[in-house]
Amino acid sequence: MSDEPVGTRWHRLTGGGSGQEYAERMAAHAAQSADAHGEATLVHGLVGPGARILDAGCGTGRVALRLAELGHDCVGVDADRSMLEVARRSGPGISWLEADLAALPEAVTCVPPFDLVLMAGNVVPLLAEGTLESTLAALGGVLRPEGLLVAGFGLDDGHLPEGCPPTPWSDYVNAARAAGLVLEAAYATWDADPLDAQQGYAVGVHRR
């Protein structure tokens, strides 16, 4: 029997209590960035006005908050309570739910379907081992027909938290295909630069 702790890689790396520290670190990064909202900018360009968007692995809510500012109807889901505490303080008007992405709560599955589901911030490689296919199936299941799943994540150690093993791009694409999702576009950055695995980062756009 394995002695490996149960839970996501994120919980094993952080202990599930790093919400405030993470928010401060991201704020410092945003202050030095030419485009602190690259994820939201790309997503906003993929959907029509007032789209219904699920931020899966929302963390402290940085991206969902920006998408809400742009006029979208957002719901955030994360398994880290400390991150959600920060999100709720920053965006009290947004629904923030604590849940595992592979087992979405009824509050997500029983509402009108989403136009787009977003996984930013290395959510994919930080999932619990063996849950990639079930997670993509669950997220694909809350999309409307023709809805989009957008995910961006690091492909090598230089683009991932220390101790987080990479998820190969091919594994992600195959898991999405198994969930009934069709790859529409693949980029190397949130600025939609062409995918180049040598750059160590990928953004995939799949359609249901």
Side-chain angles (χ1 to χ4, degrees):
M1 179 179 296
S2 171
D3 292 328
E4 189 173 42
V6 176
T8 65
R9 293 187 179 112
W10 171 259
H11 273 81
R12 291 203 292 279
L13 292 172
T14 68
S18 63
Q20 188 59 46
E21 183 276 333
Y22 180 86
E24 292 170 359
R25 180 155 44 89
M26 292 305 297
H29 173 74
Q32 301 175 4
S33 174
D35 183 6
H37 299 293
E39 304 98 326
T41 299
L42 177 64
V43 166
H44 181 62
L46 292 173
V47 293
R52 184 166 173 75
I53 297 174
L54 176 65
D55 188 354
C58 62
T60 58
R62 177 180 59 88
V63 182
L65 288 166
R66 176 57 179 164
L67 287 168
E69 289 177 355
L70 293 171
H72 301 292
D73 177 15
C74 297
V75 174
V77 178
D78 203 282
D80 188 326
R81 184 172 301 174
S82 72
M83 304 285 267
L84 291 173
E85 288 172 354
V86 177
R88 288 173 179 136
R89 290 197 298 269
S90 301
I94 295 176
S95 179
W96 306 104
L97 305 173
E98 183 180 347
D100 189 312
L101 297 184
L104 293 172
E106 187 174 346
V108 172
T109 59
C110 292
V111 296
F114 293 89
D115 299 299
L116 186 145
V117 172
L118 172 67
M119 287 192 292
N122 281 323
V123 171
V124 169
L126 289 167
L127 295 171
E129 287 81 2
T131 65
L132 179 58
E133 286 196 12
S134 59
T135 297
L136 294 187
L139 295 176
V142 300
L143 283 170
R144 65 167 175 78
E146 301 299 315
L148 297 174
L149 173 68
V150 181
F153 55 97
L155 301 175
D156 59 25
D157 292 342
H159 292 81
L160 293 169
E162 184 177 354
C164 177
T167 297
W169 172 245
S170 59
D171 286 4
Y172 177 74
V173 171
N174 289 337
R177 183 183 301 116
L181 302 167
V182 179
L183 182 64
E184 285 217 333
Y187 307 118
T189 68
W190 290 101
D191 293 325
D193 295 320
L195 180 62
D196 178 356
Q198 298 303 313
Q199 291 183 306
Y201 197 87
V203 178
V205 179
H206 282 80
R207 187 175 295 278
R208 180 179 175 189

